[in-house]
Amino acid sequence: MKKIIIAIDGFSSCGKSTMAKELAHEIGYIYIDSGAMYRAVTLYCIQTDILKEETIDIQRLREAIGTLKVCFHFNRETDHPDVWLNDVNVEDKIRTMEVSAHVSKIAAFDFVRTAMVAQQQAMGRDKGLVMDGRDIGTVVFPHAELKIFVTASPEVRARRRYDELTAKGATVSLEEILTNIKERDYADQHRPVSPLRQADDAILLDNTHLTTAQQLEWLKEQYQQAIQ
Ligand code: DC
């Protein structure tokens, strides 16, 4: 059967990775979370003091970026790929508040993006790939056969994130989450390099009123149409 590239972009906390992961699993494609790569680079900066007390040593980061090995290995227990940094599995270390607080600054450097985009494009050489992120349909795979741009109201996204965090036992404020989501939306859309925007040929999915099961059904229909 014809193999394609599926690019899923959109705002943060929209459920992109959930739908991308589930689709890839169902159709036997590789799933790549491109945000995890920027998170791994951020973790490296923290571990090596390139990022210290809110200051980034740009020169050291520039020198290091070409030597960093960020890749994915399939985890049989979770049935999904884990991100590895320089031969160490860092999947559990990249979702901390510390990494989340700094990743958008690291992801905004053009030389960081150039290095990550080159690795992402190499992963798509054989197609059969679902990748989610912010610039997948616009910059990484502008010729992807299927492009989806996901959005939902900030209030609904904040509520989903709040439910997710409180279910894990975290004490968080809904208001604080909503403010953070709005700030990240603005930062993602207004950065000078590869800002978040819907590709002209992307299909818009507003999942404000959809359940995860409904959106997966919708996505599978788009995939069936794309491979015909
Ligand atoms: O999807 P996420 O929240 O894990 O992404 C982490 C950060 O990386 C977020 O600040 C946006 C950025 N990112 C990006 O700039 N380009 C991508 N293709 C994916 C993520």
Side-chain angles (χ1 to χ4, degrees):
M1 198 190 290
K2 176 183 162 190
K3 282 194 168 183
I4 64 170
I5 288 184
I6 303 171
I8 302 186
D9 290 305
F11 292 94
S12 59
S13 304
C14 254
K16 294 188 300 291
S17 45
T18 305
M19 67 192 272
K21 218 183 268 183
E22 285 174 358
L23 177 71
H25 193 252
E26 287 214 10
I27 65 178
Y29 274 28
I30 292 168
Y31 163 64
I32 297 294
D33 169 1
S34 66
M37 300 175 73
Y38 293 101
R39 287 175 179 272
V41 175
T42 306
L43 178 69
Y44 175 84
C45 292
I46 294 168
Q47 288 175 336
T48 55
D49 282 349
I50 284 178
L51 171 60
K52 202 176 176 190
E53 288 155 15
E54 305 299 314
T55 305
I56 301 165
D57 187 334
I58 300 173
Q59 189 50 36
R60 274 183 65 211
L61 178 54
R62 196 186 286 277
E63 285 161 14
I65 197 75
T67 68
L68 286 191
K69 217 169 97 188
V70 180
C71 57
F72 292 84
H73 293 297
F74 196 76
N75 179 333
R76 282 176 201 282
E77 279 173 30
T78 60
D79 239 11
H80 295 299
D82 284 346
V83 66
W84 288 58
L85 169 67
N86 292 339
D87 300 319
V88 177
N89 185 336
V90 292
E91 184 66 31
D92 290 339
K93 296 197 177 77
I94 59 164
R95 316 225 178 250
T96 62
M97 283 309 287
E98 193 182 15
V99 171
S100 299
H102 294 104
V103 61
S104 51
K105 273 176 274 172
I106 300 294
F109 287 112
D110 56 351
F111 58 90
V112 170
R113 301 202 73 82
T114 303
M116 292 304 110
V117 168
Q119 296 195 26
Q120 290 154 8
Q121 288 172 335
M123 293 173 196
R125 217 166 275 151
D126 297 329
K127 302 212 172 189
L129 178 77
V130 185
M131 190 177 285
D132 75 345
R134 305 294 191 284
D135 60 343
I136 311 306
T138 50
V139 176
V140 183
F141 297 118
H143 303 297
E145 290 84 351
L146 177 58
K147 297 182 188 176
I148 310 290
F149 189 85
V150 196
T151 185
S153 76
E155 288 74 18
V156 164
R157 287 185 280 141
R159 166 58 66 179
R160 288 177 188 158
R161 184 104 187 96
Y162 176 84
D163 291 346
E164 197 181 309
L165 290 169
T166 49
K168 285 183 191 161
T171 310
V172 284
S173 132
L174 182 59
E175 224 165 277
E176 210 176 301
I177 294 176
L178 181 60
T179 304
N180 176 262
I181 280 183
K182 286 181 177 170
E183 280 171 4
R184 283 201 287 155
D185 285 356
Y186 186 88
D188 283 350
Q189 287 176 292
H190 292 89
R191 69 172 173 229
V193 195
S194 307
L196 171 65
R197 68 169 184 86
Q198 182 179 347
D200 295 337
D201 51 350
I203 305 166
L204 180 67
L205 169 66
D206 183 337
N207 67 15
T208 304
H209 302 294
L210 296 184
T211 62
T212 47
Q214 285 171 329
Q215 74 171 2
L216 181 61
E217 270 318 298
W218 178 89
L219 186 57
K220 282 197 297 194
E221 278 167 28
Q222 306 309 313
Y223 162 72
Q224 287 301 339
Q225 283 175 24
I227 58 166
Q228 269 161 23

